[in-house]
């Protein structure tokens, strides 16, 4: 499939990068229809050959017909990857009980900073063990964690944290929702993990919350207290769905008396722990999903 006369013309800008490569995999996985496809990168990649649908460029692009200026185009702006992972789980709860405040703490993978940094946790662990030294784009990844590498603003938040604030408001079309975030890079190769504390306007028991999440599209619940099994970045790597677990009331909130699994008890604060593949679900798959909905 793939090539189809009635499909859209597609350009993947940054195709040699972490997200661009995932785009090509998702195009094939989804049998996304396209009339022609343009694969673009910087001058640094001049002469580089890529494989797409078992063919190498330029032969995979031999069928390309450039669309004229009259053709319709769609520029799809994807939400930020940490925000997508967070809101995949928070949004079904918000729709049910209205979130009025959200506190997000992230544990973000190295691949979120692109191909140049993707391998650092593994390489550095080797270097630190064998040579007692390592080179790093940011701060040492191996056996360490650090505040997200995005630019820090004068208000003390970094750009990634402010994306969570602004894009949640935009996504929920609610300029009043209060959001604060702390974004941390951890020595994980793939997939972001996030703890999300939700203050909810309407009563919502944790069992109801679990049922809502179990019925939510694109979400799997992994919440086994007995065996201490909850979502991990490894489990969600290369998966479309976001995993959510550790669904429980926040005992610090006035009015939460420490009861668990008591449905009639009114909860006004809830904790959830979410993991999602930020390259696949947080970028390529999400953009293609938007394109599929448009076509
Ligand atoms: N990585 C993630 O988890 C993630 C998730 C969501 C969103 N994003 C966003 O997705 C975008 C790409 O991220 P990435 O992780 O894929 O980065 P990356 O691995 O560093 O790749 C960057 C890509 O952009 C290309 N590029 C750079 N400068 C260019 C120019 N002047 N003209 C044309 N192409 C140029 C590079 O081409 P060369 O190879 O030729 O240099 C490469 O293909 C960023 O905006 C990032 O914030 C990333």
């Amino acid at each position: 499939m793939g090539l189809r006369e009635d499909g859209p013309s597609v350009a993947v800008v940054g195709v040699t990068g972490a997200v661009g490569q995932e785009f090509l995999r998702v195009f094939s996985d989804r049998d996304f229809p396209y009339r022609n496809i343009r694969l673009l990168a910087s001058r640094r990649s001049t002469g580089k050959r890529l494989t797409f649908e078992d063919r190498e460029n330029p032969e995979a692009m031999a069928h390309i017909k450039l669309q004229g200026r009259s053709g319709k185009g769609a520029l799809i702006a994807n939400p930020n990857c940490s925000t997508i992972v967070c809101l995949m789980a928070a949004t079904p709860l918000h729709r049910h009980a209205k979130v009025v405040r959200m506190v997000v703490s992230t544990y973000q993978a190295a691949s979120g900073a692109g191909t140049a940094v993707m391998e650092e946790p593994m390489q550095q662990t080797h270097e630190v063990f064998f040579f007692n030294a390592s080179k790093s784009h940011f701060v040492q990844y191996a056996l360490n964690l650090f505040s997200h590498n995005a630019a820090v603003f004068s208000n003390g938040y970094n750009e990634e944290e402010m994306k969570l604030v602004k894009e949640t408001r935009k996504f929920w079309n609610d300029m009043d929702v209060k959001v604060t975030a702390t974004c941390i890079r951890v020595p994980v190769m793939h997939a972001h993990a996030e703890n999300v504390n939700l203050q909810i306007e309407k009563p919502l028991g944790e069992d109801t919350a679990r049922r809502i999440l179990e019925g939510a599209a694109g979400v799997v619940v992994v919440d086994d207290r007995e065996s201490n099994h909850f979502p991990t970045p490894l489990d969600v790597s290369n998966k479309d769905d976001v995993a959510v677990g550790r669904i429980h009331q926040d005992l610090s909130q006035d009015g939460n008396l420490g009861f668990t699994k008591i449905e009639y008890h009114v909860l006004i604060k809830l904790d959830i722990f979410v993991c999602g593949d930020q390259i696949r679900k947080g970028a390529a798959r999400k953009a293609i999903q938007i394109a599929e909905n448009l076509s």
Side-chain angles (χ1 to χ4, degrees), residues 39-87:
L39 307 180
L40 307 170
S42 77
R43 284 185 185 176
R44 287 183 291 273
S45 296
T46 305
K48 196 179 264 185
R49 300 174 83 86
L50 295 174
T51 301
F52 177 51
E53 298 194 331
D54 296 330
R55 286 175 296 169
E56 202 180 58
N57 292 324
E59 56 200 89
M61 294 165 68
H63 58 273
I64 286 178
K65 282 187 281 171
L66 283 182
Q67 201 180 8
R69 282 170 182 266
S70 56
K72 279 189 189 168
L75 192 60
I76 298 171
N78 231 14
N80 160 258
C81 55
S82 313
T83 312
I84 292 176
V85 170
C86 170
L87 295 189

Side-chain angles (χ1 to χ4, degrees), residues 58-203:
E59 56 200 89
M61 294 165 68
H63 58 273
I64 286 178
K65 282 187 281 171
L66 283 182
Q67 201 180 8
R69 282 170 182 266
S70 56
K72 279 189 189 168
L75 192 60
I76 298 171
N78 231 14
N80 160 258
C81 55
S82 313
T83 312
I84 292 176
V85 170
C86 170
L87 295 189
M88 281 302 295
T91 300
L93 302 174
H94 173 66
R95 290 197 175 128
H96 187 90
K98 188 167 170 46
V99 173
V100 291
R101 182 169 186 263
M102 184 166 81
V103 180
V104 188
S105 310
T106 72
Y107 313 83
Q108 297 187 221
S111 55
T115 41
V117 184
M118 198 182 267
E119 304 291 333
E120 278 201 2
M122 206 151 72
Q123 278 168 3
Q124 288 183 355
T125 304
H126 177 85
E127 286 165 10
V128 166
F129 272 107
F130 289 97
F131 308 110
N132 199 25
S134 75
K135 279 193 187 153
S136 184
H137 275 83
F138 310 122
V139 177
Q140 181 179 309
Y141 261 109
L143 314 176
N144 200 11
L145 55 81
F146 54 92
S147 185
H148 194 283
N149 48 288
V152 181
F153 298 130
S154 58
N155 66 2
Y157 286 85
N158 63 45
E159 192 182 8
E160 184 81 353
E161 291 160 350
M162 287 311 294
K163 284 180 184 175
L164 270 152
V165 174
K166 290 179 184 169
E167 296 191 21
T168 299
R169 290 178 182 160
K170 197 168 160 186
F171 198 90
W172 288 349
N173 193 23
D174 179 357
M175 293 305 130
D176 296 326
V177 63
K178 294 179 170 56
V179 179
T180 185
T182 304
C183 293
I184 302 293
R185 287 264 187 227
V186 294
V188 163
M189 301 278 284
H190 219 99
H192 290 348
E194 307 182 23
N195 196 75
V196 185
N197 181 269
L198 300 164
Q199 189 166 353
I200 293 163
E201 196 173 78
K202 296 180 194 161

Side-chain angles (χ1 to χ4, degrees), residues 2-3 8-13 15 20 23-24 27-28 32-40 52-53 55 57-58 60-67 288:
L3 186 61
S9 300
V10 174
V12 181
V13 184
V15 71
F23 256 98
L24 297 188
F27 274 136
S28 294
F32 187 84
Y34 58 88
R35 180 189 337 202
N36 54 52
I37 187 162
R38 299 272 283 169
L39 307 180
L40 307 170
F52 177 51
E53 298 194 331
R55 286 175 296 169
N57 292 324
M61 294 165 68
H63 58 273
I64 286 178
K65 282 187 281 171
L66 283 182
Q67 201 180 8
I288 290 169

